[in-house]
Amino acid sequence: MSTPHISAEKGDFAKTVLMPGDPYRAQFIAENFLKNARLVNDVRGIKGYTGLYKETKVSVMASGMGMPSIGIYSYELYNFFDVENIIRIGSAGSYNENVHVRDIVIAQAACTDSNYGEQFGLPGTFAPIADFGLVETAVKTAREMGLCFHVGNILSSDRFYGDNAGIPDWKQPLNCWAKMGVLAVEMEAAALFMNAARAGKRAAAICTVSDSLITGEATSAEERQNSFTDMMKLALKTAVKIKNKYEGA
């Protein structure tokens, strides 16, 4: 059943996959939160694990950086490995003075400056949105956990560096995206949401704010890899609840 990018068999992945960008974050989650976790993919160093969280089968696999990368992995998981739900868990940069470093952002939708949607041949502009059931469950769970979180629109950008006097235009605090109420910027969710829509599956994105484009405050690479545990626990608890919701207890 192996694909060009995933070496696994049907049944190796749970119905719900948590998808961080960083392979080491996937490994951290597997080693610290999953019981009986086993490595089910390591092609190109993109680590994927399946184990149990509170007796619920859950998988976690990295997506790599950017929409082309998550586009490949989410497409193969949805279409070849019977995955029904993918929850992106990653970092984001805040565009909003009220969204602080280490806060959590649960995406309702993902704007994008990418041309990823062109492949679908739509006679207009597609609005990539998260699955309401997953968002609703994540929001309720975040409230139960007492987390500091925000729900709203995010931007999935194709560019980390841009040609604007050495400063990417998406790093301008009061740019056009922020003026439209976009809370934060990352690089993957829009492609994930589009692939889910096309496959008739479900997707969500839960991000921890790693840096503020307003204040300049930022976390280190090590912190992003290992310390965003509230986001990880929120996604895992959401995975348990959606299994009960969609598959039965």
Side-chain angles (χ1 to χ4, degrees):
M1 189 55 223
S2 294
T3 66
H5 309 95
I6 300 174
S7 179
E9 299 296 328
K10 277 197 173 183
D12 281 348
F13 288 98
K15 293 297 183 183
T16 298
V17 177
L18 275 52
M19 187 161 271
D22 185 353
Y24 289 104
R25 188 179 292 147
Q27 182 178 347
F28 178 88
I29 293 169
E31 292 177 348
N32 289 275
F33 295 103
L34 298 185
K35 184 169 66 175
N36 301 326
R38 62 188 181 94
L39 186 70
V40 295
N41 182 67
D42 197 19
V43 176
R44 299 176 181 236
I46 295 294
K47 298 177 184 297
Y49 300 85
T50 296
L52 296 176
Y53 181 76
K54 299 187 183 299
E55 307 309 316
T56 295
K57 184 178 178 182
V58 178
S59 295
V60 54
M61 191 176 86
S63 70
M65 290 188 290
M67 281 177 270
S69 187
I70 198 170
I72 288 171
Y73 291 111
S74 62
Y75 183 95
E76 293 184 0
L77 289 172
Y78 282 139
N79 291 285
F80 302 125
F81 293 98
D82 296 330
V83 170
E84 294 293 328
N85 313 293
I86 296 178
I87 303 174
R88 163 165 158 67
I89 49 173
S91 57
S94 170
Y95 274 162
N96 187 298
E97 62 183 6
N98 297 314
V99 179
H100 304 291
V101 170
R102 296 182 184 83
D103 285 0
I104 289 172
V105 174
I106 300 171
Q108 284 181 297
C111 305
T112 187
D113 57 16
S114 170
N115 201 36
Y116 188 87
E118 182 69 16
Q119 64 180 299
F120 301 109
L122 299 166
T125 302
F126 182 76
I129 62 173
D131 176 78
F132 177 76
L134 269 60
V135 171
E136 181 183 41
T137 303
V139 168
K140 288 180 178 178
T141 305
R143 285 182 179 139
E144 291 168 3
M145 294 173 67
L147 301 179
C148 184
F149 71 97
H150 312 266
V151 183
N153 211 348
I154 63 173
L155 169 66
S156 298
S157 179
D158 263 347
R159 294 168 295 142
F160 189 87
Y161 299 104
D163 190 14
N164 182 10
I167 303 174
D169 57 8
W170 55 263
K171 281 197 172 184
Q172 303 297 326
L174 297 176
N175 72 3
C176 54
W177 296 109
K179 291 175 182 177
M180 292 299 290
V182 172
L183 297 179
V185 58
E186 51 85 75
M187 301 185 73
E188 289 83 21
L192 172 62
F193 293 173
M194 286 188 239
N195 276 2
R198 182 64 183 89
K201 302 296 181 75
R202 292 178 286 267
I206 300 171
C207 295
T208 299
V209 175
S210 58
D211 56 305
S212 171
L213 286 312
I214 305 295
T215 67
E217 183 183 2
T219 57
S220 69
E222 184 178 2
E223 284 182 287
R224 291 193 295 273
Q225 177 182 307
N226 296 329
S227 70
F228 290 175
T229 52
D230 283 344
M231 171 184 66
M232 298 171 191
K233 292 175 183 176
L234 172 57
L236 287 163
K237 291 175 184 289
T238 299
V240 172
K241 290 183 178 180
I242 60 178
K243 180 183 185 300
N244 296 337
K245 181 174 184 176
Y246 293 116
E247 301 173 43

